[in-house]
Amino acid sequence: RSLKFQYSNLNVQHPTSESAIRIRGVARQLGMLRSLRELNLRSTQLSGNLCQILCDLQAPLESLELPSCSLIPADLDFL
């Protein structure tokens, strides 16, 4: 039900083909957690990629925490 990322070295601020593959992999893995309701993405560098990370979720989250994350307007539009 709850997953917390303490830190991620996945830097998506300067996207490469490798980082795009890693983002899709993370998204697929999150999508497999059918009972996930709480997600904390502390200190992840998601700018511009929040939609790609969360798009495979099977159910709405009850809680999404994004402490120390830099978001851009596209991320906020997605939310």
Side-chain angles (χ1 to χ4, degrees):
R1 288 193 40 86
S2 182
L3 179 62
K4 181 183 289 189
F5 284 80
Q6 289 293 342
Y7 172 78
S8 171
N9 64 355
L10 176 60
N11 185 348
V12 295
Q13 292 178 342
H14 305 287
T16 64
S17 59
E18 180 183 330
S19 65
I21 291 168
R22 292 178 72 192
I23 289 169
R24 288 302 310 144
V26 169
R28 278 193 299 275
Q29 294 296 316
L30 288 174
M32 294 171 66
L33 302 173
R34 297 191 186 281
S35 63
L36 183 65
R37 296 298 177 265
E38 300 173 354
L39 181 59
N40 182 321
L41 298 172
R42 173 180 292 283
S43 300
T44 53
Q45 300 173 358
L46 294 174
S47 294
N49 293 281
L50 192 59
C51 176
Q52 290 86 353
I53 295 288
L54 301 178
C55 67
D56 289 338
L57 293 179
Q58 300 296 312
L61 294 172
E62 295 171 6
S63 172
L64 174 63
E65 296 183 49
L66 301 167
S68 303
C69 292
S70 297
L71 302 178
I72 64 171
D75 298 317
L76 299 176
D77 290 343
F78 169 74
L79 292 174

